Amino acid sequence: MNGSTGVKSALPLRAALLMAASSSLFGMMAIAIRYASHQQHPFEIAFFRCLFGALFALPLLRVHGLELLRTRRLGFYIVRCAAGIVSMLCGFWALVHLPLAQAVALSYSTPLFVTIGAVLVLGEVVRMRRWSAVIAGFIGVLVIVRPTAADFSSATLIALLAAAISGGVTISIKYLSRTDPADRIVILTTLLWVPLSLPFALTVWKWPDAATWPWLILSGGLGTAGHYCWTRALKMAEASALAPLSYLQLLVVGTLAWLLFGEVIDNYTAAGAAIVIAASLYIARREARVARDLNKPETVAKQTPTL
């Protein structure tokens, strides 16, 4: 870390390992969801993922105490979590109804929507280079989706909807992180997700059988563990430096889907994913460079205080 600017310059080994673990855990969660879907509707799987995920997050209260639950922005949390639930339901639907690698590849379009949202909601200035990356990224999405192909599925549009809403949720985290610590965001989010996801599950309710319970529990545990590793990694290193490791999830999912379900990544998905990942990495690098420029003493001195 650069002591004069507070900018993380090197990628610590521990941060890299945590991000790699996070990507692997999220990839394995997708496999657990697919197995659970053999008996359960995606909406039910989402509810149980939230329920067991919340249970696995409760140790945070032991570490920080009930003070962790206190916030002045509860209304904002509820709105944010409601949007997050819709994104999760769409994402789980896509994981069940699309080849796993394709569903995960489409989820990587989230940074494209985050860039657009940053302009519309946060008023951020985005230059031509980043806009070019966004356009290239959406070209990659079209390569994956192939809207004119005979095997085009509406599930691909649902996957894109999940990515778009997830982009909005990401924007909301920028607001919350200004006042609330990461663990508060994690615990309140996981707890609120449970009642918000229940009404959707009740519309298709069927009690899981004995063989399905382990996959439901595993999805919650893997999701919370992945989120925990992700937040810890981001505390130690820049998001732009960690971004390449986050795409390990596609490798994990693609390999396991091939071994367990016989799914093969087609050329269009591979090519489109490569374009989307390259565009997202470029956006992350450009955002990091802009952030470093803003943190320079001479730049900060010229800014008008906002508080």
Side-chain angles (χ1 to χ4, degrees):
M1 180 178 291
N2 188 318
S4 61
T5 63
V7 176
K8 304 179 181 80
S9 56
L11 179 58
L13 176 60
R14 187 178 178 189
L17 292 175
L18 283 170
M19 181 57 75
S22 172
S23 300
S24 300
L25 290 165
F26 283 132
M28 290 186 286
M29 183 185 73
I31 300 299
I33 291 169
R34 174 60 67 85
Y35 272 115
S37 71
H38 293 166
Q39 295 294 329
Q40 306 303 129
H41 191 279
F43 289 2
E44 279 189 280
I45 300 173
F47 165 72
F48 283 112
R49 180 263 180 266
C50 294
L51 176 62
F52 291 115
L55 292 177
F56 282 110
L58 287 180
L60 289 174
L61 294 178
R62 182 177 180 84
V63 175
H64 300 284
L66 294 178
E67 178 67 24
L68 193 64
L69 298 176
R70 296 181 181 177
T71 180
R72 297 180 179 179
R73 313 183 77 174
L74 182 59
F76 190 84
Y77 270 100
I78 293 174
V79 173
R80 173 191 176 275
C81 289
I85 283 297
V86 175
S87 176
M88 183 185 296
L89 294 174
C90 292
F92 278 35
W93 180 278
L95 286 172
V96 171
H97 292 91
L98 286 175
L100 286 172
Q102 186 181 37
V104 172
L106 288 172
S107 73
Y108 288 150
S109 64
T110 292
L112 311 179
F113 293 104
V114 170
T115 300
I116 296 173
V119 173
L120 298 177
V121 179
L122 299 179
E124 292 185 5
V125 177
V126 175
R127 306 297 182 186
M128 183 56 65
R129 290 182 180 180
R130 270 195 283 173
W131 279 126
S132 298
V134 170
I135 293 171
F138 280 117
I139 291 174
V141 169
L142 289 176
V143 172
I144 298 172
V145 173
R146 286 175 292 157
T148 59
D151 59 349
F152 173 75
S153 170
S154 59
T156 57
L157 298 180
I158 295 176
L160 285 175
L161 178 60
I165 299 174
S166 179
V169 173
T170 301
I171 293 295
S172 72
I173 293 177
K174 291 190 176 184
Y175 280 110
L176 288 176
S177 62
R178 294 173 181 174
T179 58
D180 290 9
D183 283 350
R184 177 172 295 149
I185 296 174
V186 170
I187 190 67
L188 287 177
T189 296
T190 54
L191 291 177
L192 287 171
W193 272 349
V194 177
L196 289 172
S197 62
L198 180 58
F200 296 96
L202 290 177
T203 63
V204 292
W205 189 264
K206 182 181 73 171
W207 280 105
D209 58 24
T212 306
W213 279 113
W215 297 114
L216 295 173
I217 296 172
L218 193 60
S219 69
L222 290 170
T224 296
H227 199 183
Y228 181 88
C229 292
W230 178 67
T231 55
R232 292 303 177 278
L234 289 177
K235 279 189 174 183
M236 301 177 189
E238 290 180 352
S240 60
L242 293 167
L245 291 169
S246 69
Y247 298 114
L248 177 63
Q249 181 182 356
L250 183 58
L251 177 61
V252 172
V253 168
T255 301
L256 292 178
W258 172 60
L259 291 174
L260 300 174
F261 308 120
E263 295 183 3
V264 179
I265 301 178
D266 60 56
N267 293 333
Y268 288 99
T269 299
I275 297 172
V276 172
I277 290 173
S280 299
L281 286 173
Y282 182 81
I283 290 171
R285 295 291 186 184
R286 287 295 300 173
E287 288 179 346
R289 182 173 297 177
V290 170
R292 283 194 292 268
D293 290 341
L294 290 175
N295 282 328
K296 289 180 180 178
E298 62 271 21
T299 305
V300 175
K302 294 178 182 178
Q303 293 178 329
T304 303
T306 57
L307 295 179

